Amino acid sequence: MSNPHAILSDIHRLLSSYDREEFLRASRYPGLGRAIKSALLALASEAPTGGLSSRDAVDKKPSEKRLTQSDQKPASQDERLPLAASILKSESGETIGSLRAFATKQGLKLQFRPKESKERLARRIAGALIDLPETKRNQALASLLGKVSTQTQGWIDVIKGSKS
Amino acid sequence: MSETIALLNMKGGVGKTTLAFNLAWYLYQYEPANVLLIDLDPQFNATQCVMDYKTFQDHRKNKGTIADLMIDQPMMALKSNKKIKKNPANALHNVAKSTSHRLDLLPADLQLAWVVKNPAQMDYRLEKLLEKLRTTYDFVIIDCAPTDSVLTTMALTASDYLLIPVRPDRFSILGFFNLMETIKTFRANCTDPHTVKVLGIVFTQVTSTSQVEKESMKDISTAALNENIHVFTNHLKYSTSYIRSIKDQTPIFQTLWAQEKPKSQVGKIAEELKARIQAAVTTSGKAKKK
């Protein structure tokens, strides 16, 4: 095997073993040179965001690994948080009841837990949304964004009302 | 003892509101201090940064806005106008509160444009209004309108300090000279012994990606130094996180998604601002009315 192939093969092995968070953590390791840090950041941008941790990668059978990486892609904390924040800012995020109604309407298979906080439920909803197939996910996000925009629409009405 | 700081630049889109909103939050949260944010812009973007439209509608109906404190015409005044004018604190909206500190907003609305159209005897109106409010606060931050109008004069008469957000582009250099002329004219015509001090210019929306931008920053800095105006060493870098944080009505350092660099910039500017105020107080003594 020529050197370039060996290098690329090693890089792909790294990318399949570690997720973005792990590369980012490594890039913050004290005392790293600038070039190595840049290389780790580049790997982070290429790595799967919600991928398996290295331990998962070692523990799981190859067939399980493939299935998890390609089909399920569990949403990472990084991915869920911004979406969860948007959900909470939307009208659907006003109460636990409205969050549950949104999740039910979107057909998300979530078990609602008693005494679960709004923030935690929003994070679980965000995770479930990210794990949806693309078309369904886009529909759900459009519905969510549609609701967020009522705030903008409300301000437009206020301004129009002020001018009239 | 309160410090009143106006964020002023007659050029629009330089990030006055973003900086005012974030600074007010930072000073409340990390100083920690009692902070009043005043929206002095008929576009009322600072108001839209902290209130949702339903809260604003209720507030405007029941408590009024800064426009109601300025407007004397009975036709335009609220039913509760007298009550508000007697105690302007009634027109404030509480944004955040801890056990010992608070962040309040004096909201604006489009009616504030009436003041621009009817500027007679308005120059000192905000200053008088602040006399009744400022004792409660450590910092009063005024988000000014991007116009050379009576609103600018009102901000200049009411403020102890000016902070000038500047975007590093060619128009901003020209805008900076416009602003300096306005300040000089104000100082020449102001009968009041109080003189507003310019704390400096802060670069905003800095991308650090082009030579043109670098040259603009150099030109503006040279122009500022020639006018004996400090250039803040800390900048607000361009980041989409600001756009998003404004949309979510959250200061950038409270967001979950922004990277550490943009999150830390507001704090650095606030600390430099405080140091500048301290230096101004130390060197000249505090010749201002309280």
Side-chain angles (χ1 to χ4, degrees), chain A residues 81-83 85-86 89 91 94 145 148 150-155 157-159 161-163, chain B residues 43-44 47-49 51-54 56-57 60 109-111 244 247-250 256-257:
Chain A
L81 289 179
L83 184 55
S86 299
K89 288 278 177 187
E91 281 190 7
E94 280 178 3
L145 291 173
V148 171
T150 51
Q151 192 55 237
T152 310
Q153 188 56 49
W155 277 113
D157 294 342
V158 167
I159 292 163
S162 299
K163 278 188 172 170
Chain B
Q43 294 182 73
F44 63 117
T47 302
Q48 292 154 11
C49 273
M51 293 173 97
D52 64 66
Y53 77 94
K54 282 181 185 163
F56 173 77
Q57 279 177 318
R60 186 170 62 174
D109 74 342
L110 203 56
Q111 303 281 20
R244 192 164 170 185
K247 183 171 177 281
D248 285 354
Q249 301 183 315
T250 310
L256 301 166
W257 58 83

Side-chain angles (χ1 to χ4, degrees), chain B residues 170-207:
Chain B
R170 185 171 166 271
F171 291 140
S172 292
I173 304 175
L174 306 174
F176 173 72
F177 281 107
N178 277 338
L179 179 61
M180 292 319 298
E181 285 309 307
T182 302
I183 294 170
K184 280 176 194 167
T185 310
F186 167 77
R187 282 176 174 160
N189 296 324
C190 187
T191 51
D192 197 310
H194 153 85
T195 310
V196 64
K197 291 182 183 68
V198 183
L199 290 177
I201 66 169
V202 182
F203 285 113
T204 59
Q205 303 171 39
V206 179
T207 61

Side-chain angles (χ1 to χ4, degrees), chain A residues 124-145:
Chain A
R124 288 206 299 129
I125 290 175
L129 282 175
I130 291 167
D131 292 341
L132 281 176
E134 199 177 348
T135 326
K136 268 195 160 183
R137 182 171 64 229
N138 288 343
Q139 280 170 358
L141 290 176
S143 144
L144 186 70
L145 291 173

Side-chain angles (χ1 to χ4, degrees), chain A residues 55-68:
Chain A
R55 189 180 295 168
D56 287 339
V58 171
D59 290 347
K60 294 200 175 182
K61 291 175 189 171
S63 59
E64 274 180 333
K65 224 161 74 172
R66 267 199 303 278
L67 178 71
T68 315

